[in-house]
Amino acid sequence: MSRTHVPEREQSGSSSGGSPADELAKLRQQAVKLQDELTELRRSFDREREHFHATLEQHIAFEKLITDIAVYFIHLPSTQIQDGISYALREIGAFAGVDRMSVYLYADHTFTHLQGWYVEKGIIPSDPEPAIRTADISWWFDQISQLKPIHISDTAMLPAGAQRELAALNMHRMQSLLAVPLTYTQTLNGFVVASSVSAQHDWSTEELSLLSTAAQIIANALARQQLEQQQLLDDRTVHHAVADAAARATNEDELLGYVTQLIGEALAAENYGVLLLHEADHTLHTHPSYHDGQVMIRWEQAVAGRAVASGKPLRVPDASQAPDALTIAPDSRSVLCVPLRISGRIIGVVNVESARTNVYSEADERLLGTFAQQLATGMERIRLFAAERRRTAQQRTLARSAGSIAAALTPDELWSAMTTAAHQTLAADRIGIFLYDESSDAFSCPFSSGLSSKYVNALQTRFRDAPIVKASGDLQPVVVNDILEDPAAASLRDIMVREGIRAFASFPLSPSLTMRKTMVLYRNEPAAFTADDLATGQTLAHVVAIAIQNIQLFSEIKHSLGREQQLNEMARMLSSTLDLPTLLARITGMATELIGADAGLLGLVIDNQIMTYYPFNVPGSVSLLPMLKGRGVAWRIVNSGESFLLPRYHELPGANRDWIRAGAQAFIGVPIMAGDTRLGALELFSFSPDKRFNERDQALAKSVGQQAGIAIQKARLYSDAQQRAGALAAALAKQEELDKLKSLFVQNVSHELRTPLGIVHGHAELLNSGRLGELQSDQQRSVQIIARRVRMLTDLVRDFSALLASETQEFRREEIDPAWLAQSMLADFQMEADKAEITLEADIEQALPPLVGDATHLRRVLDNLVGNALKFTPAGGRVTLHVWRQDINILFEVTDTGIGIEDSQLDSIFERFYQVDGSTTRKHMGTGLGLALVKEIVEAHQGHVSVRSQVGVGTTFQISLPMGNNIPGE
Ligand code: ADP
């Protein structure tokens, strides 16, 4: 820019001298010149001002742009930093009028392209450019890593060492560029580069400043993004680390230890760890894992206490300045404290402290919160797991103990097993079994373990105050977790305290309302009985109750077992003896020995009239003659059903003099019973004055009486049955003999009748034919009657012998073609059918397999069926014979369109001599034997006959015969 040369002119002016006119002209000239110069000056000044103005405006626009971008980034969430960068590149690029803008990031000796803006393409968000190793662009890296901008106004002017860079720039057709480093806390993060492809360009200081500021904004934004990502990562790391610790820890203490260590590593703290809340006395106790130093503080004074009270995290920058802000370490200044919650309940705090002030940030608070949360989850899991494990262990122990409790056969065994079980499963230090009988208001303690006699005695006098007795009829357990606190224990508190008891639970043993039995378990320390404990206790009580019952039963059983065994022996013997006299002698002998008597006498009533006697060891002086009804002790017992137990026989009214004289002393007399019937009496005597029978003996004798009664009755029934069976067998034999005779007789008669009947029939037909001379009409009628009746008789005889034959099963075995059988049948009946004006037809399947059987008999079957069909079908009707094969059977069906049979008759028609119309005036002839014969023959061939019929419509008989070999006896 050129300036005026006024001083020169002044100089020349001062050195000249001339005429005034000349001077004036000169001056005028000078004035004009000055005027020109002045104008020129003003112009230049104006230009200057304009330029300044323009620069100012640009400057303002620049500032505004930078402010805009900065503000934009401030409000940008870290997840959208990329958008922010595109915005900045676009705005700056447009503002500066450059062709390209790019951001490269630096890490691991590599530059990667993050984003670009090309004037011709706009934003290039992805990374189309390959990463550049710093080793490949050492000149460039050398420049930029000194955190200095790189300014290249003409790429051609790059130094010789930058050949690679030149090649790269040429490839992108770049003519000039300006690159500024991206830095954060004085370290290289990358660079921003603006370039021009169209022309060489001298980059101004303003442009440099603009780019540098933008680079700073971008660098900060990237750093922020990175930091926040780091934060997220920390949270995740905490989750992971604590979860890992929870998995490793086998108990809560271990977990707290691990997590405390993690907190120490994650947060700058000299003093840190977990404090647990004791609500009862409003104190917080450091967990043993607390680092460093163990204290117990009242929560009102402490920072930690305030966190508990508010349920919120608390961050104190300087505890020395805050009131009521007691720290765990006395010299702590910064405190960060987060409540620890399990299932919504605060159980303590996680606390970190530092001797420096203002150490903890919001991010630290969040981090510690995550720790607390994760720790709580872990603790919860461990608690659940421990509870589950305890429950399983408890149940396993209980199951084991239950076995030995239930197996106990004596009270001692039971008490010992029960005490062990109560101790192992429920941590009971002492145990007592108490009985309270409501009806007599009596209290007793059959068993106790660990209880002093003083305590038990005190209970004896004050049992009415005991919660066990008071909880009348209630089958729920009574639980007192701390006798010092629970009002339910108030009445007995003094004696329990003296005994050293702190907690107890009582479990009912039996559901009986009058006799209340309870099992009480005591603990020396106050310890809550959990729901699991109660369930376990109830199960234990249940098992004990059963065991007590078992033991009672067992002792009773054992007591009577010996005698029972003898009795059983006797019963077995009695039931195996069926001969009555032997039996009676045995009963008397065994009963005498069983009861331990010296002599025995069994009286048995005969026909309700006479008592007969069966003796065992009876002295010879005693008469054994039968007694008439109503006389003597035995009859008295039988009549009244009484039983006697006497130390002296002679005291018995009606005592037998013989026995008294023989010296009978103790006496038992019992009835012999079979059900309610008194069969006789059993009398047992002892001759020794010292011997006495007791009630057990009497009961036993009664039982013998009952067993004996049953045995006697059985023996009697047996002999009866034997007699009856003999008679029956004889009758049957006779019957069979008669049957045989009858059959033989009928056979003979039939045989004898057949020939003369044939002759009579022949002669009758001869007469009827008129060959012996024409007969008068009434003669002819008579002859016809004779012929018809003879035919009937012949039929009857034929049927009879056929029936007998089928009964005695005289069947031949021959192969029969079913078709032939049917066909020949039809031929036989064709004439008869024509005469009766009935259509007879057949439907016979081709190539039927053969049957094996008796052709004569089978023919007779079809004979009867077709004969009946024709007989019971009026003129104009139809009879069809249908033969076919079905599975392994050949079926014959004879169907007619005749009168039919009532449903009610269908079963009866197969009986011998049955005819639906049994009257003498019936239309149809017949013997009533036909169908019986059919059935018998078919069944003898393993076949089956059936009938279906409808009155007025017709009847169908069906015969089913199995193919092949089916004659019985083969
Ligand atoms: P009967 O010699 O009287 O024919 P059956 O034993 O052959 O004796 O038959 C018994 C009775 O069954 C006959 O009296 C008749 O009432 C009835 N019955 C048998 N076959 C037929 C039929 N096809 N239609 C109607 N009723 C029949």
Side-chain angles (χ1 to χ4, degrees), residues 32-45:
V32 170
K33 229 178 178 173
L34 273 172
Q35 191 68 43
D36 285 352
E37 280 182 8
L38 210 66
T39 312
E40 178 60 23
L41 203 67
R42 196 178 294 122
R43 275 204 197 117
S44 131
F45 181 73

PDB file of all heavy atoms in Angstrom, residues 32-45:
ATOM      1  N   VAL A  32      -3.178  23.154  -6.021  1.00  0.00           N
ATOM      2  CA  VAL A  32      -3.941  22.181  -6.843  1.00  0.00           C
ATOM      3  C   VAL A  32      -3.424  20.755  -6.562  1.00  0.00           C
ATOM      4  O   VAL A  32      -4.188  19.829  -6.352  1.00  0.00           O
ATOM      5  CB  VAL A  32      -3.799  22.553  -8.359  1.00  0.00           C
ATOM      6  CG1 VAL A  32      -4.369  21.441  -9.225  1.00  0.00           C
ATOM      7  CG2 VAL A  32      -4.515  23.845  -8.640  1.00  0.00           C
ATOM      8  N   LYS A  33      -2.118  20.672  -6.527  1.00  0.00           N
ATOM      9  CA  LYS A  33      -1.494  19.354  -6.285  1.00  0.00           C
ATOM     10  C   LYS A  33      -1.918  18.779  -4.939  1.00  0.00           C
ATOM     11  O   LYS A  33      -2.338  17.621  -4.820  1.00  0.00           O
ATOM     12  CB  LYS A  33       0.045  19.506  -6.313  1.00  0.00           C
ATOM     13  CG  LYS A  33       0.699  18.464  -7.214  1.00  0.00           C
ATOM     14  CD  LYS A  33       2.190  18.731  -7.216  1.00  0.00           C
ATOM     15  CE  LYS A  33       2.913  17.694  -8.062  1.00  0.00           C
ATOM     16  NZ  LYS A  33       4.320  18.058  -8.178  1.00  0.00           N
ATOM     17  N   LEU A  34      -1.854  19.694  -4.007  1.00  0.00           N
ATOM     18  CA  LEU A  34      -2.235  19.280  -2.654  1.00  0.00           C
ATOM     19  C   LEU A  34      -3.683  18.795  -2.628  1.00  0.00           C
ATOM     20  O   LEU A  34      -4.030  17.813  -1.987  1.00  0.00           O
ATOM     21  CB  LEU A  34      -2.057  20.418  -1.656  1.00  0.00           C
ATOM     22  CG  LEU A  34      -0.653  20.530  -1.046  1.00  0.00           C
ATOM     23  CD1 LEU A  34      -0.557  21.809  -0.229  1.00  0.00           C
ATOM     24  CD2 LEU A  34      -0.378  19.319  -0.158  1.00  0.00           C
ATOM     25  N   GLN A  35      -4.451  19.634  -3.370  1.00  0.00           N
ATOM     26  CA  GLN A  35      -5.873  19.281  -3.462  1.00  0.00           C
ATOM     27  C   GLN A  35      -6.009  17.855  -3.989  1.00  0.00           C
ATOM     28  O   GLN A  35      -6.748  17.049  -3.406  1.00  0.00           O
ATOM     29  CB  GLN A  35      -6.584  20.266  -4.424  1.00  0.00           C
ATOM     30  CG  GLN A  35      -8.108  20.144  -4.368  1.00  0.00           C
ATOM     31  CD  GLN A  35      -8.657  20.608  -3.046  1.00  0.00           C
ATOM     32  OE1 GLN A  35      -8.210  21.648  -2.519  1.00  0.00           O
ATOM     33  NE2 GLN A  35      -9.559  19.876  -2.452  1.00  0.00           N
ATOM     34  N   ASP A  36      -5.268  17.597  -5.062  1.00  0.00           N
ATOM     35  CA  ASP A  36      -5.306  16.244  -5.651  1.00  0.00           C
ATOM     36  C   ASP A  36      -4.880  15.184  -4.643  1.00  0.00           C
ATOM     37  O   ASP A  36      -5.539  14.159  -4.469  1.00  0.00           O
ATOM     38  CB  ASP A  36      -4.353  16.179  -6.874  1.00  0.00           C
ATOM     39  CG  ASP A  36      -4.930  16.896  -8.090  1.00  0.00           C
ATOM     40  OD1 ASP A  36      -6.126  17.279  -7.982  1.00  0.00           O
ATOM     41  OD2 ASP A  36      -4.203  17.034  -9.090  1.00  0.00           O
ATOM     42  N   GLU A  37      -3.801  15.535  -4.035  1.00  0.00           N
ATOM     43  CA  GLU A  37      -3.273  14.548  -3.069  1.00  0.00           C
ATOM     44  C   GLU A  37      -4.257  14.293  -1.949  1.00  0.00           C
ATOM     45  O   GLU A  37      -4.436  13.178  -1.485  1.00  0.00           O
ATOM     46  CB  GLU A  37      -1.929  15.048  -2.519  1.00  0.00           C
ATOM     47  CG  GLU A  37      -0.786  14.778  -3.474  1.00  0.00           C
ATOM     48  CD  GLU A  37       0.585  15.206  -2.944  1.00  0.00           C
ATOM     49  OE1 GLU A  37       0.659  15.573  -1.745  1.00  0.00           O
ATOM     50  OE2 GLU A  37       1.564  15.132  -3.725  1.00  0.00           O
ATOM     51  N   LEU A  38      -4.875  15.399  -1.554  1.00  0.00           N
ATOM     52  CA  LEU A  38      -5.859  15.305  -0.465  1.00  0.00           C
ATOM     53  C   LEU A  38      -7.016  14.383  -0.880  1.00  0.00           C
ATOM     54  O   LEU A  38      -7.472  13.535  -0.105  1.00  0.00           O
ATOM     55  CB  LEU A  38      -6.372  16.715  -0.137  1.00  0.00           C
ATOM     56  CG  LEU A  38      -6.788  16.902   1.320  1.00  0.00           C
ATOM     57  CD1 LEU A  38      -5.602  16.784   2.264  1.00  0.00           C
ATOM     58  CD2 LEU A  38      -7.454  18.268   1.491  1.00  0.00           C
ATOM     59  N   THR A  39      -7.456  14.649  -2.111  1.00  0.00           N
ATOM     60  CA  THR A  39      -8.560  13.812  -2.621  1.00  0.00           C
ATOM     61  C   THR A  39      -8.135  12.331  -2.627  1.00  0.00           C
ATOM     62  O   THR A  39      -8.868  11.457  -2.179  1.00  0.00           O
ATOM     63  CB  THR A  39      -8.913  14.247  -4.075  1.00  0.00           C
ATOM     64  OG1 THR A  39      -9.026  15.657  -4.092  1.00  0.00           O
ATOM     65  CG2 THR A  39     -10.185  13.577  -4.523  1.00  0.00           C
ATOM     66  N   GLU A  40      -6.916  12.224  -3.168  1.00  0.00           N
ATOM     67  CA  GLU A  40      -6.383  10.855  -3.236  1.00  0.00           C
ATOM     68  C   GLU A  40      -6.337  10.231  -1.830  1.00  0.00           C
ATOM     69  O   GLU A  40      -6.743   9.101  -1.610  1.00  0.00           O
ATOM     70  CB  GLU A  40      -4.968  10.881  -3.861  1.00  0.00           C
ATOM     71  CG  GLU A  40      -4.285   9.534  -3.947  1.00  0.00           C
ATOM     72  CD  GLU A  40      -5.012   8.501  -4.783  1.00  0.00           C
ATOM     73  OE1 GLU A  40      -5.836   8.922  -5.676  1.00  0.00           O
ATOM     74  OE2 GLU A  40      -4.836   7.286  -4.530  1.00  0.00           O
ATOM     75  N   LEU A  41      -5.874  11.045  -0.918  1.00  0.00           N
ATOM     76  CA  LEU A  41      -5.754  10.582   0.468  1.00  0.00           C
ATOM     77  C   LEU A  41      -7.108  10.162   1.023  1.00  0.00           C
ATOM     78  O   LEU A  41      -7.270   9.122   1.674  1.00  0.00           O
ATOM     79  CB  LEU A  41      -5.136  11.717   1.304  1.00  0.00           C
ATOM     80  CG  LEU A  41      -4.439  11.275   2.578  1.00  0.00           C
ATOM     81  CD1 LEU A  41      -3.185  10.449   2.249  1.00  0.00           C
ATOM     82  CD2 LEU A  41      -4.025  12.515   3.379  1.00  0.00           C
ATOM     83  N   ARG A  42      -8.086  11.022   0.758  1.00  0.00           N
ATOM     84  CA  ARG A  42      -9.424  10.731   1.279  1.00  0.00           C
ATOM     85  C   ARG A  42      -9.930   9.405   0.693  1.00  0.00           C
ATOM     86  O   ARG A  42     -10.503   8.586   1.378  1.00  0.00           O
ATOM     87  CB  ARG A  42     -10.365  11.884   0.945  1.00  0.00           C
ATOM     88  CG  ARG A  42     -11.635  11.812   1.798  1.00  0.00           C
ATOM     89  CD  ARG A  42     -12.586  12.980   1.536  1.00  0.00           C
ATOM     90  NE  ARG A  42     -12.012  14.246   1.951  1.00  0.00           N
ATOM     91  CZ  ARG A  42     -11.844  15.286   1.123  1.00  0.00           C
ATOM     92  NH1 ARG A  42     -12.177  15.182  -0.145  1.00  0.00           N
ATOM     93  NH2 ARG A  42     -11.342  16.416   1.566  1.00  0.00           N
ATOM     94  N   ARG A  43      -9.660   9.305  -0.590  1.00  0.00           N
ATOM     95  CA  ARG A  43     -10.104   8.075  -1.253  1.00  0.00           C
ATOM     96  C   ARG A  43      -9.453   6.854  -0.594  1.00  0.00           C
ATOM     97  O   ARG A  43     -10.127   5.870  -0.253  1.00  0.00           O
ATOM     98  CB  ARG A  43      -9.702   8.110  -2.740  1.00  0.00           C
ATOM     99  CG  ARG A  43     -10.725   8.842  -3.575  1.00  0.00           C
ATOM    100  CD  ARG A  43     -10.611   8.356  -5.038  1.00  0.00           C
ATOM    101  NE  ARG A  43     -11.277   9.326  -5.869  1.00  0.00           N
ATOM    102  CZ  ARG A  43     -10.678  10.076  -6.828  1.00  0.00           C
ATOM    103  NH1 ARG A  43      -9.388   9.866  -7.092  1.00  0.00           N
ATOM    104  NH2 ARG A  43     -11.360  10.966  -7.521  1.00  0.00           N
ATOM    105  N   SER A  44      -8.201   7.005  -0.454  1.00  0.00           N
ATOM    106  CA  SER A  44      -7.479   5.883   0.128  1.00  0.00           C
ATOM    107  C   SER A  44      -7.988   5.589   1.527  1.00  0.00           C
ATOM    108  O   SER A  44      -8.142   4.438   1.936  1.00  0.00           O
ATOM    109  CB  SER A  44      -5.982   6.200   0.090  1.00  0.00           C
ATOM    110  OG  SER A  44      -5.383   5.984   1.309  1.00  0.00           O
ATOM    111  N   PHE A  45      -8.232   6.641   2.248  1.00  0.00           N
ATOM    112  CA  PHE A  45      -8.753   6.483   3.594  1.00  0.00           C
ATOM    113  C   PHE A  45     -10.094   5.755   3.568  1.00  0.00           C
ATOM    114  O   PHE A  45     -10.356   4.845   4.357  1.00  0.00           O
ATOM    115  CB  PHE A  45      -8.868   7.869   4.246  1.00  0.00           C
ATOM    116  CG  PHE A  45      -9.381   7.783   5.673  1.00  0.00           C
ATOM    117  CD1 PHE A  45      -8.551   7.294   6.682  1.00  0.00           C
ATOM    118  CD2 PHE A  45     -10.683   8.151   5.973  1.00  0.00           C
ATOM    119  CE1 PHE A  45      -9.028   7.221   7.967  1.00  0.00           C
ATOM    120  CE2 PHE A  45     -11.148   8.060   7.279  1.00  0.00           C
ATOM    121  CZ  PHE A  45     -10.309   7.598   8.286  1.00  0.00           C
TER     122      PHE A  45
END
